[in-house]
């Protein structure tokens, strides 16, 4: 992963949370896995890695949801905008590309989580790396065994 020195900023839809970065990683991607679909409320999520030493929260801070014991999803508590995916053991945090002020600067180069990819997106002109089990094989069991995400069906109460 190459570190790219840059200046960029972004934040949530309502402006309660803003950030500034001084570097990004050469990791701009989309993920189709079911967990990312739920976190984004969409067919996939677009993310880019940012070294932890290169991000500064300039207004507010994101609320977080522990989607597993290994990772947290950051979002604005006021407007709900998805802002980050933070795998705790990583040296970087992933920010949602759409929350950048100029998202066109960080176009996705690769797609992951192909097991959740909808058929309509099978021909995206972006390199396809494989399923979550293939691209994150060292982590998938730990994430799955500690998954705190609501299931894809109604429940009488949550959490159980």
């Amino acid at each position: 992963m190459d570190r790219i020195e840059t200046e960029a900023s972004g934040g949530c839809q309502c402006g309660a949370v803003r950030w500034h970065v001084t570097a990004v990683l050469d990791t701009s991607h989309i993920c189709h896995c079911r967990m990312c679909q739920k976190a984004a409320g969409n067919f996939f999520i677009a993310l880019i890695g940012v070294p932890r030493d290169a991000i500064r929260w300039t207004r507010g801070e994101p609320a977080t949801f522990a989607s597993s014991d290994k990772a947290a999803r950051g979002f604005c508590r006021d407007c709900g905008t998805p802002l980050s995916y933070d795998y705790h053991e990583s040296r970087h945090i992933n920010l949602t590309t759409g929350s950048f002020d100029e998202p066109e600067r960080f176009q996705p180069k690769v797609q992951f989580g192909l097991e959740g990819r909808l058929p309509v997106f099978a021909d995206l002109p972006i390199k396809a790396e494989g399923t979550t089990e293939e691209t994150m094989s060292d982590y998938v069991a730990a994430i799955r065994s500690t998954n705190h995400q609501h299931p894809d069906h109604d429940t009488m109460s949550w959490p159980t």
Side-chain angles (χ1 to χ4, degrees):
M1 288 182 277
D2 292 335
R3 182 181 174 118
I4 302 165
E5 301 299 323
T6 189
E7 297 287 328
S9 59
C12 68
Q13 189 172 16
C14 75
V17 180
R18 295 286 300 163
W19 46 261
H20 181 84
V21 299
T22 55
V24 297
L25 299 177
D26 190 22
T27 62
S28 187
H29 67 282
I30 61 175
C31 184
H32 300 274
C33 83
R34 189 63 185 130
M35 194 174 274
C36 282
Q37 288 174 344
K38 297 278 284 209
N42 212 321
F43 302 123
F44 52 81
I45 196 167
L47 298 163
I48 187 169
V50 174
R52 291 186 189 278
D53 68 349
I55 185 169
R56 182 173 49 91
W57 300 101
T58 59
R59 182 184 314 130
E61 288 193 9
T64 59
F65 170 69
S67 55
S68 74
D69 288 352
K70 297 288 188 177
R73 307 286 179 149
F75 62 95
C76 174
R77 75 180 77 252
D78 294 339
C79 68
T81 301
L83 296 170
S84 66
Y85 169 74
D86 186 2
Y87 190 79
H88 305 307
E89 296 173 16
S90 177
R91 285 187 246 168
H92 68 276
I93 185 171
N94 285 284
L95 295 178
T96 54
T97 311
S99 68
F100 276 80
D101 292 338
E102 299 174 278
E104 67 278 5
R105 291 179 54 199
F106 308 103
Q107 294 184 35
K109 298 178 179 182
V110 68
Q111 52 185 319
F112 299 106
L114 301 181
E115 71 280 1
R117 183 173 62 184
L118 277 67
V120 69
F121 297 114
D123 295 325
L124 286 177
I126 302 170
K127 180 181 174 186
E129 287 286 318
T131 66
T132 301
E133 287 74 13
E134 294 165 343
T135 60
M136 295 181 67
S137 60
D138 293 344
Y139 311 109
V140 74
I143 292 170
R144 186 176 289 129
S145 69
T146 63
N147 184 348
H148 302 294
Q149 179 172 285
H150 191 277
D152 291 331
H153 57 80
D154 288 335
T155 59
M156 293 299 290
S157 62
W158 185 259
T160 54

